[in-house]
Amino acid sequence: MSFACVFPGQGSQSLGMLSALAERYALVRETFEIASEALSFDLWNLAQQGPEEALHRTENTQPLMLTAGVAVWRVWRLQGGPMPRMMAGHSLGEYTALVCAGALDFATAVTLVAQRGRLMQGAVPSGEGAMAAILGLEDAQVVAVCAQAAKGQVVEAVNFNAPGQVVIAGHAAAVERALELAKKEGAKRSVLLPVSVPSHCQLMQQAAQRLQSTLAMTDLNPPLTPVLHNVDAEARSEAKAIREALVRQLYSPVRWVDTIQTMSRGGVKTVLEMGPGKVLTGMNKRIDKGLLSVCVQDAESLELALASTQGEH
């Protein structure tokens, strides 16, 4: 197989997501019904009607995005889409990849990521944490800026998303100081992200410890397709190693550039983003212009993706 599948995380959600795909394929709504039953509330209604504030609450967004990715994947397989050479997911999307690779039961994953969201939300009091994207600096410059801005607080480079696009996270005041320094260093642009949780930094250590207890009781199977993990862009097949990577992921950087480069070195020519938003597709094009990147989120993009992987079974 010369293609890979990737799954988006938080930030790709929007009101009305996957409505066009659901009109064509009943399997989308059926997938959301399984998730709604696991959570005891109507996830599809939230995705379509809102309210928007609830849509963006971490504990809701995580099961919502996981379900959206799984729904697209199920339609892909229903329409004869082949298995990819490898998979990955951005942050929360890593759980989606593990479900689609057969390593994690879907309903179990829905409740697991809802809890992950609650633990993350509860780790830092509201307003005390922040995340921001810095554009136009080298990775090493951003790391140096964070070290200089910390002043006894936490601020770290947490998402290496694409060349010249790094996300930082930590205490709100330290993030603000880092943005000032980044501007002086020549950053083209820096923007605070509308999130309530400073993900992937040391402030998530406590949440990670609690998540570890839940993961210890969660059944995991060897993935049918290799899943590259965020912490080091490497695949794992042992349940213990997968659990450990998921725990570390919560307070470690998402190494997305490394992930896409590993795929490319492994012979991948096409990367399909399964789910709404096109966020990863945009980043992937900037990481490796030689890759064909397609976001599968409606009937039209599904047809394009099926055509681009024809003959691969």
Side-chain angles (χ1 to χ4, degrees):
M1 296 297 141
S2 61
F3 79 100
C5 291
V6 297
F7 299 89
Q10 277 181 259
S12 292
Q13 72 278 5
S14 61
L15 277 180
M17 57 197 257
L18 299 190
S19 57
L21 196 67
E23 278 176 28
R24 182 76 68 92
Y25 301 103
L27 190 53
V28 174
R29 291 290 299 271
E30 287 164 22
T31 304
F32 272 83
E33 278 161 23
I34 294 167
S36 299
E37 202 171 308
L39 294 171
S40 303
F41 75 90
D42 191 336
L43 205 57
W44 180 253
N45 190 57
L46 175 63
Q48 302 308 308
Q49 309 297 330
E52 204 146 0
E53 183 230 339
L55 186 81
H56 298 309
R57 204 175 298 136
T58 297
E59 65 200 69
N60 294 335
T61 309
Q62 296 203 20
L64 191 68
M65 285 305 300
L66 179 126
T67 305
V70 170
V72 173
W73 169 256
R74 287 181 162 181
V75 171
W76 167 258
R77 295 294 284 158
L78 176 75
Q79 293 306 108
M83 289 292 286
R85 178 172 287 192
M86 50 187 92
M87 295 183 181
H90 192 282
S91 188
L92 172 275
E94 189 165 292
Y95 288 79
T96 319
L98 288 167
V99 171
C100 297
L104 185 56
D105 172 71
F106 173 47
T108 303
V110 169
T111 54
L112 177 64
V113 300
Q115 191 197 358
R116 179 180 181 267
R118 284 191 293 273
L119 291 172
M120 290 168 72
Q121 197 83 59
V124 181
S126 186
E128 284 189 21
M131 295 184 81
I134 295 175
L135 306 180
L137 293 184
E138 298 287 328
D139 292 356
Q141 288 177 287
V142 178
V143 171
V145 157
C146 288
Q148 202 184 331
K151 299 192 188 307
Q153 290 186 308
V154 171
V155 59
E156 297 165 5
V158 295
N159 291 2
F160 296 99
N161 281 336
Q165 186 189 330
V166 180
V167 173
I168 63 171
H171 289 110
V175 169
E176 290 284 2
R177 288 194 295 271
L179 294 184
E180 283 300 312
L181 289 169
K183 202 182 289 180
K184 287 176 188 165
E185 281 289 314
K188 285 182 192 161
R189 200 162 150 246
S190 54
V191 56
L192 276 169
L193 301 178
V195 294
S196 52
V197 172
S199 306
H200 303 293
C201 73
Q202 295 304 311
L203 297 178
M204 290 292 121
Q205 286 268 16
Q206 182 193 17
Q209 284 169 2
R210 292 181 174 165
L211 181 68
Q212 189 170 19
S213 309
T214 306
L215 281 166
M217 299 179 291
T218 304
D219 285 337
L220 285 164
N221 304 308
L224 302 172
T225 295
V227 174
L228 302 182
H229 290 269
N230 289 175
V231 290
D232 54 11
E234 289 182 12
R236 290 157 173 78
S237 54
E238 299 286 324
K240 187 182 173 197
I242 293 170
R243 288 190 187 99
E244 190 243 340
L246 292 174
V247 171
R248 275 176 57 207
Q249 189 228 53
L250 214 48
Y251 59 84
S252 304
V254 173
R255 301 196 174 278
W256 195 250
V257 173
D258 292 349
T259 299
I260 296 303
Q261 288 174 342
T262 299
M263 288 180 168
S264 192
R265 281 196 302 271
V268 166
K269 304 286 186 229
T270 300
V271 180
L272 305 180
E273 178 179 3
M274 298 271 173
K278 296 186 183 175
V279 171
L280 300 184
T281 301
M283 294 185 331
N284 298 348
K285 285 175 180 169
R286 287 173 54 191
I287 295 166
D288 189 335
K289 292 177 175 62
L291 288 172
L292 173 66
S293 295
V294 180
C295 178
V296 184
Q297 58 180 343
D298 53 27
E300 195 179 10
S301 54
L302 175 68
E303 290 304 319
L304 176 64
L306 286 165
S308 70
T309 57
Q310 213 168 16
E312 299 202 21
H313 286 279

